[in-house]
């Protein structure tokens, strides 16, 4: 199922003045018009009732494009997250479930904890089910009851107490299970694949006319989900990566011609390597999937290593796991090997270590290379303090959205504000490091490494950046025939 295009949800758009567009999310009342509403129980909650204007103004929206020009259009907006005056579920009626899918990421347990505590403390919900082992847990695994007591200290542990998995998404079986168990709020914590999965669950729920809110909390350690400012767990990963980089620096600095090589996660997006390098200041070279590099000749990696060793006696290289994959494949062909080849050689860290060692051996120079692969150790840590707060806010925002009857949405922070984003917006494109923007230039200037880029590479990157900008900042992508742009006051705004 993976890799299939996003579900065919018609965009729910509302137009305003000066090019204002609200890209709204679905609501259960879109297909179940006469549902009763109830006062939000938060109005009687002593912790919140003292807060002035605790409830979000129903007209509040968050702009996606924060840098604008005098005569430019106001652009796309998302519905602001937060508690509404009226809710579509009574506390006794709610039967929520939480599932974690895909790879691990620091903070998963914090999000689980805060959804449970948020539902319980803010809305008085008591029936919350944990689905074990990812999507297939809906029909093939056990479930556990989640209570504030049972999740009390799980945020101090790495991983997910629910377990996770890839594969196993059988939409019909999942929705059958939701219907059979009487679940009416589904919280999916997962990456792009999981959010696509949540999108098709939402479509099926809508088709069957069920009063079920399907909501996502985006998870990716690689920070490769577009639109949102940053994914939870990313900061923790960057922080933990410092320990590996420090170790590489100590090892390299203690040996003659010492080279410390650290591999970090990032199959298609090099954000962890990029930010870990910027944070550390001990790194001499950072290699990421978005920026091609080469080994031999002027401007190549070997010449640069020779230069750094001559100047400084040691150096540190950080490589994202997806960097140089094309180069590895080419080299393997040269060596007469199949492109799928030996698993060890496909590991860019091992491959690079071997290439660097061979090069200096050929030049009769003794080097001391130490390769560190901390990838799974980084992913397994609990989230740091700042991610814990971030996870808490995301969890509370998603709970407010589901209680207010929104569905088919994912929660995310955009320009510092939490909002509800339609699933298709975060699954249509992967967020990547732009090698033509100032952030990458900062990295190049901090490491002093060569850019390795030809004019053609830069031109290609610019074209790709423009394409991405159009897709993400412009009008909603893939608008379908059934999409409607309607004036915002006739949108049934909740
Ligand atoms: N297009 C899709 N439709 C339905 N389910 C999907 C789709 N893509 C992925 N999934 C499901 O989402 C779950 C997690 O996906 P995966 O890509 O492994 O991780 P992540 O959510 O971190 O991207 C898996 O159970 C997978 O089967
Ligand atoms: O070994 P696994 O579990 O397949 O995970 C490894 C992959 O997961 C990733 O960390 C991405 O996962 P997420 O973006 O979903 O967090 C990649 O960098 C890496 O290739
Ligand atoms: Mg993914």
């Amino acid at each position: 199922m993976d890799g299939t295009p996003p579900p065919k949800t018609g965009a729910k758009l509302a137009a305003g003045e000066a090019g204002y567009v609200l890209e709204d999310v679905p609501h259960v009342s879109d297909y179940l018009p006469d549902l009763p509403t109830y006062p939000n129980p938060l109005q009687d909650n002593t912790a919140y009732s003292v807060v002035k204007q605790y409830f979000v103004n129903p007209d509040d929206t968050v702009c996606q494009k924060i840098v604008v020009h005098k005569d430019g259009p106001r652009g796309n907006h998302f519905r602001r997250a937060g508690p509404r005056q009226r809710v579509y579920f009574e506390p006794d009626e709610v039967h929520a479930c939480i599932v974690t899918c895909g790879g691990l990421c620091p903070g998963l347990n914090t999000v689980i904890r805060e959804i449970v505590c948020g539902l319980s403390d803010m809305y008085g919900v008591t029936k919350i089910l944990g689905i074990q082992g990812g999507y297939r847990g809906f029909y093939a695994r056990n479930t556990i009851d989640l209570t504030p007591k049972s999740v009390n200290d799980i945020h101090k542990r790495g991983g997910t107490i629910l377990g996770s998995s890839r594969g196993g998404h059988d939409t019909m079986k999942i929705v059958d299970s939701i219907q059979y168990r009487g679940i009416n709020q589904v919280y999916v914590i997962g990456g792009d694949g999981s959010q696509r999965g949540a999108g098709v669950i939402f479509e099926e729920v809508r088709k069957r006319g069920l009063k079920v809110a399907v909501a996502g909390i985006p998870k990716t350690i690689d920070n490769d989900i577009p639109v949102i400012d940053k994914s939870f767990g990313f900061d923790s990963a960057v922080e933990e990566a410092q320990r590996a980089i420090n170790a590489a620096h100590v090892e390299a600095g203690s040996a003659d011609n010492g080279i410390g090589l650290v591999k970090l996660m990032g199959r298609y997006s090099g954000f962890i390597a990029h930010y870990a390098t910027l944070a550390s200041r001990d790194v001499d070279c950072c290699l990421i999937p978005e920026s091609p590099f080469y080994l031999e000749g002027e401007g190549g990696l070997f010449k640069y290593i020779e230069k750094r060793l001559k100047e400084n006696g040691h150096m540190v290289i950080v490589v994202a796991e997806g960097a140089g994959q094309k180069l590895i494949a080419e080299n393997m062909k040269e060596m007469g090997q199949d492109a799928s080849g030996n698993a060890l050689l496909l590991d860019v860290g091992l491959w690079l270590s071997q290439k660097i060692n061979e090069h200096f051996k050929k030049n009769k120079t003794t080097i001391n290379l130490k390769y560190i692969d901390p990838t799974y150790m980084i992913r397994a840590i609990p989230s740091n303090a700042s991610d814990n707060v971030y996870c808490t806010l995301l969890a509370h925002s998603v709970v407010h959205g589901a209680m207010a009857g929104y569905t088919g949405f994912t929660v995310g922070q955009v320009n510092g504000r939490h909002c509800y984003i339609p699933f298709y917006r975060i699954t249509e494109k992967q967020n990547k490091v732009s090698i033509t923007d100032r952030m990458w230039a900062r990295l190049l200037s901090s490491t002093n490494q060569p850019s390795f880029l030809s004019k053609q590479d830069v031109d290609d990157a610019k074209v790709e950046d423009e394409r991405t900008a159009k897709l993400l900042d412009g009008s909603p992508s893939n608008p379908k025939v059934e999409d409607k742009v309607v004036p915002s006051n006739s949108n049934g705004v909740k």
Side-chain angles (χ1 to χ4, degrees):
M1 263 202 155
D2 304 18
T4 51
K8 287 197 170 190
T9 310
K12 194 175 162 191
L13 309 174
E17 280 175 17
Y20 170 99
V21 175
L22 166 63
E23 242 189 289
D24 210 353
V25 294
H27 193 275
V28 284
S29 64
D30 294 347
Y31 59 92
L32 297 171
D34 299 314
L35 292 174
T37 64
Y38 313 93
N40 192 323
L42 272 172
Q43 68 187 25
D44 305 318
N45 184 314
T46 46
Y48 297 97
S49 55
V50 289
V51 180
K52 224 169 86 187
Q53 290 190 330
Y54 184 70
F55 295 109
V56 164
N57 184 316
D59 290 330
D60 282 355
T61 58
V62 177
C63 61
Q64 185 185 356
K65 211 170 169 182
I66 201 160
V67 178
V68 289
H69 298 156
K70 192 157 61 80
D71 302 318
R74 289 175 64 198
N76 283 7
H77 292 64
F78 300 113
R79 192 165 283 289
R80 185 181 177 191
R84 270 48 184 177
Q85 297 267 9
R86 300 198 67 81
V87 293
Y88 277 72
F89 292 92
E90 284 191 291
D92 287 353
E93 174 196 352
V94 175
H95 190 190
C97 75
I98 306 174
V99 62
T100 50
C101 315
L104 296 183
C105 174
L108 283 166
N109 280 334
T110 313
V111 176
I112 296 169
R113 183 190 192 279
E114 294 308 320
I115 292 175
V116 174
C117 293
L119 277 167
S120 167
D121 300 344
M122 296 190 292
Y123 290 99
V125 171
T126 54
K127 281 185 284 178
I128 309 166
L129 211 53
I131 306 291
Q132 293 183 306
Y135 277 130
R136 66 167 62 90
F138 274 102
Y139 52 84
R141 291 286 300 271
N142 291 332
T143 56
I144 44 169
D145 289 329
L146 299 172
T147 62
K149 198 162 171 228
S150 73
V151 298
N152 185 42
D153 61 358
I154 62 170
H155 59 298
K156 295 173 187 159
R157 282 182 252 160
T160 156
I161 57 154
L162 298 177
S164 187
S165 67
R166 303 196 192 270
H169 189 289
D170 184 325
T171 312
M172 292 306 154
K173 281 192 188 168
I174 292 171
V175 180
D176 286 349
S177 162
I178 288 170
Q179 203 167 357
Y180 169 75
R181 293 170 195 272
I183 290 167
N184 52 18
Q185 291 187 2
V186 179
Y187 295 96
V188 177
I189 313 172
D192 53 347
S194 310
Q195 304 297 320
R196 273 188 210 108
V200 287
I201 292 173
F202 158 68
E203 289 297 339
E204 183 57 26
V205 158
R206 179 159 74 169
K207 213 154 85 193
R208 296 190 193 183
L210 306 175
K211 186 189 169 190
V212 176
V214 183
I217 303 93
K219 171 257 17 153
T220 158
I221 198 167
D222 290 346
N223 198 30
D224 58 4
I225 290 188
V227 182
I228 61 174
D229 293 348
K230 171 174 77 171
S231 51
F232 73 80
F234 174 68
D235 269 359
S236 305
V238 169
E239 199 171 301
E240 187 66 9
Q242 303 304 300
R243 284 160 34 97
I245 296 173
N246 282 343
H249 190 224
V250 169
E251 286 288 343
S254 311
D256 260 357
N257 282 341
I259 300 175
L261 175 62
V262 179
K263 184 177 79 171
L264 296 176
M265 275 195 171
R267 180 125 207 102
Y268 305 107
S269 306
F271 286 105
I272 299 181
H274 182 187
Y275 278 69
T277 297
L278 272 177
S280 147
R281 302 283 155 176
D282 284 336
V283 179
D284 299 279
C285 188
C286 172
L287 303 169
I288 58 169
E290 294 87 337
S291 184
F293 66 93
Y294 54 96
L295 302 177
E296 313 269 355
E298 272 320 305
L301 184 63
F302 291 155
K303 281 264 185 274
Y304 177 59
I305 298 176
E306 284 164 13
K307 179 170 159 274
R308 280 309 286 155
L309 292 182
K310 211 163 168 190
E311 285 166 357
N312 214 23
H314 68 273
M315 79 177 293
V316 175
I317 303 172
V318 164
V319 61
E321 64 179 320
Q325 289 299 314
K326 225 171 128 192
L327 199 60
I328 302 175
E330 279 166 16
N331 267 260
M332 285 169 68
K333 243 183 250 153
E334 267 171 35
M335 292 188 287
Q337 284 177 307
D338 187 305
S340 58
N342 182 318
L344 286 182
L345 282 175
L346 277 173
D347 179 318
V348 65
L350 288 172
W351 176 81
L352 207 52
S353 306
Q354 190 192 334
K355 286 281 163 194
I356 295 170
N357 275 322
E358 275 171 14
H359 172 80
F360 283 97
K361 201 169 165 198
K362 209 165 65 197
N363 289 2
K364 303 203 174 7
T365 309
T366 308
I367 58 159
N368 271 293
L369 188 146
K370 297 286 188 290
Y371 171 45
I372 301 177
D373 177 355
T375 47
Y376 290 112
M377 295 182 76
I378 289 176
R379 196 164 82 163
I381 60 163
S383 46
N384 68 10
S386 116
D387 269 327
N388 268 339
V389 175
Y390 187 32
C391 291
T392 303
L393 296 183
L394 285 172
H396 287 191
S397 294
V398 80
V399 163
H400 292 313
M403 288 301 296
Y406 291 111
T407 181
F409 75 91
T410 200
V411 67
Q413 183 176 293
V414 176
N415 299 319
R417 297 302 185 132
H418 284 227
C419 46
Y420 302 137
I421 306 165
F423 282 135
Y424 65 85
R425 282 309 299 271
I426 61 154
T427 55
E428 64 195 354
K429 181 97 182 95
Q430 232 169 7
N431 196 22
K432 289 190 190 261
V433 174
S434 163
I435 54 169
T436 57
D437 85 0
R438 278 195 292 276
M439 212 53 193
W440 186 244
R442 279 185 192 106
L443 178 134
L444 294 180
S445 109
S446 87
T447 58
N448 262 317
Q449 71 192 65
S451 82
F452 301 111
L453 296 175
S454 64
K455 189 174 171 310
Q456 186 60 50
D457 290 331
V458 176
D459 289 346
D460 289 350
K462 278 187 184 153
V463 170
E464 180 58 19
D465 284 352
E466 270 166 32
R467 215 175 62 82
T468 306
K470 254 195 212 137
L471 186 66
L472 298 180
D473 298 344
S475 57
S477 61
N478 316 323
K480 321 271 172 347
V481 226
E482 71 268 31
D483 297 347
K484 286 193 256 336
V485 176
V486 291
S488 53
N489 57 3
S490 67
N491 186 39
V493 166
K494 305 289 170 333

